[in-house]
Amino acid sequence: QTTLASGTLLFPMDAISNALFSSKKAVTNNLEIHLFSKCLQFLDYKELCKTTKELGFDGVDLTVRPKGHVLPENVVTDLPKATELMKLYGLTPRMISTNVISANNATQQLVLETAKEQGFECYRTDWLKYDRSITIAENLTNAKTKFNALAALNKTIGISGGYQNHYGHYIGSAIWDLQQILSDINPKELGSQYDIMHASVEGGNNWEIGFELIKPNINSIVVKDFKWEKTNGKWDIAYVPIGEGMIDFYSYFSLLKKHNIQVPASLHVEYDLGGAEKGGIPTMNTQEILSKIKKDVDYVRKVWKEVNQ
């Protein structure tokens, strides 16, 4: 029986990006994979950590945000509890996913300071949407100002932020816009959490061009898969288990190897898990959920191993 978690559920850029985190990955040639915890928010901290370890992950990309595993207002008390259990079960406390986007928000700053104290090295930021009442150039200027301030805060605290490219009218969805904003920001302070799925949705077969542009800024990656599906006469994306969709992970991982991009990976499970994929209490059997997640991580490790043999 499980319970709800507390609350609720012009730098030498390539050199910097490749040396962001520990040398362990360079030695073992392994991909460090963390499970994005949204799909297991129906588990408390102990069950989350125990289960994540048993599934074969290296760590938990913990949701520290509204409606997450750790609520921002409870971060001082709850994040240490979760971190202690990660360590108990042999997981690396490295990544969190947040709603942090402002350097001037006291609660968001406290989230970063607490994460740093607990040993976390990187976090995902919130997103920025395009304001269609002003020009694209003005949007990018405003985002640049915000990102510069956030990068300065990250440097002071000693933690790395990662902005995820997300399909739709979000800044960064096209990749070129994100690269412009991050062009002179050290990725140790604020970089790209590169999401191959969202890049493929927006870029189609041209995603490699965007990858080439943003690769010096990448400081973490997201792995998940999708396909196009027509519902009620309208085409839209459908999330699917990794390896069953349109993403060619062999080609993608080969590019990561070619450019020596060795950064933490967050595995997202966004397809149907009976509501668990949305952070809710699922109607699907827990063992069925875990079996699906296990299949995902095993596929990623299989492809990574074959590419790096």
Side-chain angles (χ1 to χ4, degrees):
Q1 181 69 27
T2 59
T3 59
L4 285 172
S6 176
T8 61
L9 286 198
L10 260 232
F11 296 94
M13 288 297 210
D14 287 295
I16 291 171
S17 181
N18 294 340
L20 277 173
F21 300 103
S22 73
S23 60
K24 173 186 174 184
K25 294 178 288 302
V27 174
T28 65
N29 209 28
N30 289 332
L31 179 64
E32 186 178 290
I33 309 175
H34 300 252
L35 176 63
F36 179 42
S37 76
K38 183 175 74 170
C39 66
L40 294 183
Q41 274 182 193
F42 62 96
L43 299 182
D44 62 22
Y45 299 148
K46 181 178 179 180
E47 288 298 317
L48 169 68
C49 295
K50 179 176 181 291
T51 300
T52 301
K53 182 65 176 181
E54 291 173 347
L55 289 172
F57 289 88
D58 299 296
V60 179
D61 179 5
L62 192 68
T63 51
V64 185
R65 60 188 188 181
K67 299 182 181 180
H69 259 116
V70 175
L71 301 180
E73 60 268 27
N74 297 335
V75 68
V76 173
T77 57
D78 288 1
L79 187 56
K81 295 176 185 177
T83 306
E84 181 180 0
L85 286 161
M86 287 183 197
K87 294 176 179 177
L88 178 66
Y89 285 99
L91 299 169
T92 302
R94 196 181 308 283
M95 307 179 75
I96 60 173
S97 288
T98 75
N99 68 327
V100 173
I101 198 63
S102 171
N104 301 314
N105 183 293
T107 300
Q108 293 181 15
Q109 181 173 336
L110 184 60
V111 165
L112 300 186
E113 291 171 342
T114 306
K116 173 63 178 179
E117 290 171 0
Q118 294 301 311
F120 291 89
E121 297 181 10
C122 53
Y123 72 95
R124 189 182 81 192
T125 69
D126 204 350
W127 301 278
L128 296 174
K129 274 199 166 184
Y130 275 101
D131 180 352
R132 304 305 293 274
S133 69
I134 60 176
T135 67
I136 299 300
E138 288 172 324
N139 272 276
L140 297 186
T141 297
N142 293 342
K144 178 71 171 176
T145 300
K146 186 178 286 287
F147 278 29
N148 281 340
L150 190 56
L153 176 63
N154 292 340
K155 181 177 182 180
T156 298
I157 294 173
I159 195 167
S160 298
Y163 184 91
Q164 179 196 17
N165 54 293
H166 196 293
Y167 84 94
H169 290 171
Y170 290 96
I171 287 176
S173 62
I175 300 295
W176 64 263
D177 51 354
L178 183 59
Q179 189 275 336
Q180 284 191 15
I181 297 168
L182 296 174
S183 62
D184 58 354
I185 296 178
N186 187 332
K188 281 187 175 181
E189 297 157 11
L190 184 62
S192 163
Q193 182 173 94
Y194 184 77
D195 190 316
I196 178 60
M197 192 225 85
H198 287 295
S200 297
V201 171
E202 291 290 358
N205 292 330
N206 200 40
W207 67 264
E208 286 189 39
I209 301 300
F211 175 85
E212 182 72 21
L213 189 65
I214 199 67
K215 71 179 191 293
N217 307 96
I218 295 173
N219 60 17
S220 62
I221 62 171
V222 170
V223 288
K224 56 178 181 276
D225 210 344
F226 86 106
K227 64 181 180 181
W228 288 102
E229 189 172 81
K230 197 170 188 178
T231 305
N232 297 323
K234 182 180 179 182
W235 286 100
D236 200 356
I237 68 164
Y239 294 103
V240 296
I242 295 176
E244 297 183 14
M246 301 177 69
I247 305 300
D248 182 351
F249 282 96
Y250 284 93
S251 295
Y252 176 48
F253 287 169
S254 294
L255 276 180
L256 294 178
K257 177 184 179 181
K258 175 183 177 181
H259 296 292
N260 194 30
I261 296 175
Q262 300 175 9
V263 296
S266 178
L267 189 150
H268 290 205
V269 186
E270 306 284 359
Y271 54 85
D272 182 20
L273 294 177
E277 76 282 2
K278 298 179 181 178
I281 299 175
T283 57
M284 183 180 291
N285 177 273
T286 299
Q287 288 307 313
E288 185 177 355
I289 292 172
L290 301 186
S291 177
K292 290 175 180 292
I293 298 172
K294 176 65 174 172
K295 186 177 178 182
D296 277 354
V297 68
D298 286 351
Y299 180 85
V300 172
R301 291 209 184 279
K302 171 182 175 290
V303 176
W304 184 265
K305 181 179 180 180
E306 291 176 3
V307 166
N308 285 276
Q309 282 178 341

